[in-house]
């Protein structure tokens, strides 16, 4: 089967995570020039991936090429990117100078994704069906996380003319954490309702 352009872009986004991580691991190098160059490179790669997130969805809808593969790969790419970025931003080697993402925020964001994966598996093994029902708040949460990471990456430049940038970052990362909690609760509710409806339907068919 020939891959659509939307799926190709999504796969490219997944592949770009490797050079992104590689650059992030060098942003605290001993040489100042290397630190700045690697952070700028990581920022550019991140922006390309963030833009591709919007582009692949647009192409899939415009060309009417929404596929099961694309519906699976797109959230996987998002989760891999956000998880790798968050883990790097709280690490000694990958954090941006002057900014350290609170571990609580990272736990809530990554914990949300882990719970959603567990929930997906529970629904699948209970109903033998794949249940993927995106909600608007989920997209908002994802966009907030992307903006948060991008804002942290450019923080050293912004600090030079706007010292209050740290307050913007705090609003962003706690908003991202809050929406992650909300998304988790909504998906738990939706998944529970889906299982209940499936079981009620099974009982009706048997009767």
């Amino acid at each position: 089967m020939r891959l659509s352009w939307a799926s190709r872009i999504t796969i490219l986004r997944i592949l770009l995570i490797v050079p992104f991580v590689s650059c992030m691991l060098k942003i605290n190098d001993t040489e100042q020039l290397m630190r700045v160059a690697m952070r700028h490179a990581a920022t550019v790669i991140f922006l390309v991936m963030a833009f591709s997130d919007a582009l692949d969805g647009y192409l899939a809808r415009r060309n009417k090429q929404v596929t099961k593969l694309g519906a699976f790969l797109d959230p996987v790419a998002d989760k891999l990117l956000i998880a790798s970025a968050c883990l790097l931003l709280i690490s000694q080697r990958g954090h941006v100078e002057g900014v350290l993402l609170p571990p609580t925020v990272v736990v809530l964001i990554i914990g949300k994704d882990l719970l959603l994966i567990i929930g997906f598996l529970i629904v699948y093994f209970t109903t033998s069906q794949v249940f993927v029902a995106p909600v608007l708040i989920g997209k908002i949460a994802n966009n907030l996380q992307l903006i948060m990471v991008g804002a942290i990456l450019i923080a050293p430049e912004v600090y030079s003319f706007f010292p209050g940038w740290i307050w913007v970052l705090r609003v962003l990362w706690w908003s991202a954490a809050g929406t992650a909690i909300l998304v988790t609760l909504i998906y738990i509710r939706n998944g529970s309702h889906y299982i209940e409806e499936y079981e009620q339907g099974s009982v009706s068919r048997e009767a």
Side-chain angles (χ1 to χ4, degrees):
M1 184 181 77
R2 186 177 180 181
L3 290 175
S4 65
W5 276 106
S7 294
R8 293 177 187 178
I9 291 173
T10 304
I11 292 172
L12 175 62
R13 185 159 84 252
I14 294 174
L15 295 176
L16 283 174
I17 293 174
V18 175
F20 171 72
V21 171
S22 179
C23 290
M24 287 292 290
L25 289 173
K26 297 176 182 177
I27 66 173
N28 287 295
D29 193 84
T30 53
E31 295 184 12
Q32 173 69 16
L33 186 61
M34 176 64 77
R35 290 203 301 268
V36 174
M38 288 297 100
R39 183 169 54 79
H40 287 173
T43 302
V44 170
I45 295 171
F46 178 81
L47 290 175
V48 169
M49 289 189 287
F51 174 74
S52 72
D53 184 30
L55 181 61
D56 59 9
Y58 167 75
L59 289 176
R61 291 188 298 271
R62 190 195 69 174
N63 299 330
K64 297 180 180 179
Q65 294 178 328
V66 178
T67 63
K68 290 183 178 180
L69 177 63
F72 171 76
L73 287 179
D74 187 60
V76 167
D78 292 340
K79 287 170 175 52
L80 288 175
L81 172 57
I82 294 299
S84 60
C86 286
L87 290 173
L88 285 163
L89 290 172
I90 63 168
S91 70
Q92 193 65 31
R93 291 185 62 186
H95 76 278
V96 173
E97 187 176 359
V99 183
L100 194 60
L101 188 62
T104 303
V105 173
V106 177
V107 169
L108 289 173
I109 290 175
I110 296 181
K112 179 261 295 183
D113 291 334
L114 291 176
L115 286 174
L116 292 185
I117 292 171
I118 293 171
F120 174 85
L121 293 174
I122 290 174
V123 171
Y124 178 75
F125 286 117
T126 303
T127 67
S128 299
Q129 296 178 12
V130 175
F131 176 64
V132 180
V135 294
L136 177 60
I137 189 65
K139 196 62 181 176
I140 292 173
N142 185 69
N143 289 337
L144 270 174
Q145 291 162 17
L146 291 173
I147 293 170
M148 176 194 74
V149 174
I152 292 174
L153 289 173
I154 64 171
E157 282 76 23
V158 180
Y159 278 152
S160 63
F161 62 87
F162 181 41
W165 188 244
I166 185 62
W167 293 103
V168 175
L169 295 179
R170 286 171 179 168
V171 169
L172 283 173
W173 64 48
W174 289 117
S175 296
T179 53
I181 295 173
L182 183 57
V183 169
T184 303
L185 295 175
I186 290 174
Y187 275 116
I188 289 174
R189 183 200 63 185
N190 291 351
S192 299
H193 287 172
Y194 185 79
I195 291 175
E196 289 176 5
E197 291 175 359
Y198 175 83
E199 290 178 342
Q200 289 173 0
S202 297
V203 171
S204 299
R205 286 191 295 271
E206 290 175 0

